Amino acid sequence: RETLPESHPELASSYNSIGEMYQNIGEYSTALSYCEKSLQIRQQTHPENHRDLAISYNNIGEICSNMGEYAKALSYHEKSLNIRQEFLPENHQDLAISYNNIGEVYKRMGEYAKALSSHEKALDIKEKVLPENHPSFGITYSNIGSVYDGMGEYSKALSCYEKDLKITKTSLPENHPDLAVSYNNIGLVYYNMKEYSKALFNNEMALSIQQKSLPENHPHIATSYNNVA
């Protein structure tokens, strides 16, 4: 700020980084303020289809989604996707990220068919460019499973969550918290299917991992106790 013009691109990068940190700690209003400052500078200094603008639109979309402002989130994610489609190869992983984010917004809006379509586009890109056990597949399978779960298609949801668990097991240590998320997801599907013994097994697996890897008063442990109960 002291040495550069107020619309210098490096200031935009600083604002964006600070915004991302506030987003990570859940202070979404502050995060949005910083990311919007970054976007304003980039709109002044970059052509309208510059990749940095795509990053800003994507970040603001994620923040708006976390704040429950889904229409705004969708608008920003679509702007980001449109830019990325202009300058990236059709199977670039950043396109998969955009499709994933759009799918998550549609899921939160309860528009499951659109959510499923977006997540499947992300999966299709990953299948073309990544090895089959890449950890990124676990995220996509989990997202698709969540959509099927919301649709009440529990057998399809279970299949996706089990694929996620298999990949997560091969890529993470045995007591990693992400494994607990996978077990919890499977447990909740079995619960919805009224297969309570299988639900209990998976939720207890999740709780056991969390007790080893998280502080004893972590809210995720409370969620697992609730699921087991």
Side-chain angles (χ1 to χ4, degrees):
R1 280 172 170 168
E2 291 181 7
T3 60
L4 296 174
E6 62 182 15
S7 61
H8 195 282
E10 287 189 19
L11 271 174
S13 295
S14 292
Y15 284 131
N16 185 71
S17 296
I18 293 170
E20 288 181 344
M21 290 299 100
Y22 276 115
Q23 182 184 3
N24 289 339
I25 61 176
E27 297 191 23
Y28 299 125
S29 294
T30 306
L32 184 61
S33 174
Y34 277 101
C35 287
E36 285 177 338
K37 288 178 182 177
S38 176
L39 174 61
Q40 187 177 28
I41 293 172
R42 287 171 171 172
Q43 286 174 325
Q44 293 172 3
T45 57
H46 294 329
E48 62 183 15
N49 63 345
H50 194 280
R51 65 186 306 161
D52 284 353
L53 280 171
I55 293 170
S56 285
Y57 288 134
N58 180 79
N59 290 345
I60 292 174
E62 288 185 2
I63 295 166
C64 288
S65 182
N66 286 324
M67 295 174 73
E69 297 185 17
Y70 301 131
K72 285 185 180 178
L74 192 59
S75 174
Y76 280 109
H77 282 311
E78 287 176 342
K79 287 179 181 178
S80 180
L81 175 62
N82 288 338
I83 293 172
R84 286 170 170 169
Q85 285 174 325
E86 284 188 35
F87 70 84
L88 292 175
E90 62 181 11
N91 290 322
H92 195 281
Q93 288 190 66
D94 283 356
L95 287 173
I97 291 171
S98 285
Y99 284 124
N100 173 77
N101 291 339
I102 290 170
E104 284 299 284
V105 175
Y106 276 129
K107 182 185 75 176
R108 293 180 181 186
M109 295 171 73
E111 297 195 32
Y112 296 122
K114 291 180 180 178
L116 188 60
S117 174
S118 292
H119 283 310
E120 286 178 340
K121 287 176 182 176
L123 179 62
D124 184 59
I125 290 172
K126 291 179 181 182
E127 286 176 338
K128 292 175 180 174
V129 298
L130 296 175
E132 62 181 13
N133 285 323
H134 193 279
S136 183
F137 278 110
I139 296 169
T140 301
Y141 284 128
S142 178
N143 289 339
I144 293 174
S146 179
V147 175
Y148 278 128
D149 194 17
M151 296 170 73
E153 297 194 29
Y154 299 129
S155 61
K156 291 181 179 179
L158 187 61
S159 174
C160 289
Y161 283 145
E162 286 175 340
K163 288 178 181 177
D164 164 45
L165 177 61
K166 182 179 179 182
I167 292 169
T168 305
K169 277 183 172 179
T170 62
S171 59
L172 294 175
E174 62 181 9
N175 289 320
H176 194 282
D178 284 356
L179 269 173
V181 174
S182 297
Y183 280 118
N184 256 330
N185 287 339
I186 291 172
L188 290 175
V189 174
Y190 275 127
Y191 179 83
N192 288 331
M193 297 170 73
K194 303 188 186 309
E195 296 195 32
Y196 298 125
S197 60
K198 291 180 180 178
L200 184 60
F201 171 81
N202 283 279
N203 288 135
E204 286 180 335
M205 287 289 291
L207 178 60
S208 175
I209 291 169
Q210 289 167 337
Q211 288 172 326
K212 294 172 185 173
S213 61
L214 297 175
E216 64 182 12
N217 62 344
H218 195 283
H220 288 177
I221 295 179
T223 300
S224 287
Y225 279 128
N226 182 74
N227 292 341
V228 170

